[in-house]
């Protein structure tokens, strides 16, 4: 099974994603910090296969900050797969930018927060 580092600021979403991944047998580590450098260190220490983060409007999980984290993490570990989670209903601007980053090959996958956790787990498993 894959090792996943989860850096999701929204605690309800974070706990739901962590629980779903653990139930499916993934090895999961929650990043205690949203700081790009600390998230990268967590990926390195945990030997992560996948980094999953949420994107929102706060400075800690803004699109630009998350993309900075993705760039740093992939530079350190080119085989790391990256995924972003966003709210397409309340934040269509951010979700458009996330979708665009996938189209440009800057991330490997994206999800809307409304996605079923079983689907999220299956997609992460397929990366």
């Amino acid at each position: 099974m894959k090792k996943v580092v989860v850096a999701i600021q929204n605690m309800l979403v974070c706990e739901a994603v962590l629980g779903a991944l653990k139930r499916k047998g993934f090895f999961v580590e929650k990043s205690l910090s949203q700081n790009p450098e600390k998230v990268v260190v967590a990926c390195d220490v945990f030997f992560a296969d996948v980094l999953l983060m949420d994107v929102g409007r706060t400075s800690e999980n803004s699109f630009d900050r998350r993309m900075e984290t993705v760039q740093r993490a992939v530079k350190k570990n080119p085989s790391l797969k990256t995924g972003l989670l966003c709210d397409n209903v309340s934040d269509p601007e951010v979700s458009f930018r996330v979708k665009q980053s996938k189209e440009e090959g800057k991330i490997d996958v994206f999800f809307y927060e409304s996605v079923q956790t079983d689907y999220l787990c299956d997609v992460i498993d397929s990366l």
Side-chain angles (χ1 to χ4, degrees):
M1 252 324 138
K2 294 191 181 338
K3 295 178 185 174
V4 183
V5 168
V6 176
I8 296 178
Q9 188 177 25
N10 180 321
M11 292 312 277
L12 290 174
V13 174
C14 184
E15 292 305 317
V17 169
L18 287 170
L21 289 168
K22 287 177 182 177
R23 280 191 301 279
K24 291 286 187 169
F26 288 90
F27 298 102
V28 184
E29 183 68 27
K30 176 180 164 185
S31 176
L32 299 177
S33 174
Q34 302 300 317
N35 177 288
E37 192 55 41
K38 290 184 179 181
V39 173
V40 171
V41 168
C43 290
D44 194 36
V45 168
F46 192 61
F47 302 105
D49 301 302
V50 180
L51 170 60
L52 182 63
M53 299 180 291
D54 64 340
V55 179
R57 292 230 175 243
T58 67
S59 62
E60 285 198 329
N61 72 341
S62 70
F63 177 80
D64 292 333
R65 187 154 177 159
R66 291 310 198 193
M67 291 310 296
E68 175 189 348
T69 305
V70 166
Q71 290 171 340
R72 287 183 181 194
V74 171
K75 183 177 180 182
K76 185 136 180 134
N77 178 2
S79 66
L80 181 72
K81 302 298 182 187
T82 56
L84 298 177
L85 188 68
C86 62
D87 184 349
N88 65 315
V89 175
S90 66
D91 223 339
E93 232 179 87
V94 169
S95 65
F96 176 78
R97 291 183 75 191
V98 169
K99 184 181 87 120
Q100 211 171 24
S101 69
K102 167 61 177 137
E103 290 171 353
E104 294 169 357
K106 295 177 181 176
I107 61 171
D108 296 294
V109 67
F110 76 95
F111 303 98
Y112 296 133
E113 286 182 355
S114 59
V115 72
Q116 295 280 335
T117 54
D118 286 344
Y119 176 75
L120 183 141
C121 292
D122 288 345
V123 171
I124 288 175
D125 197 31
S126 73
L127 291 175

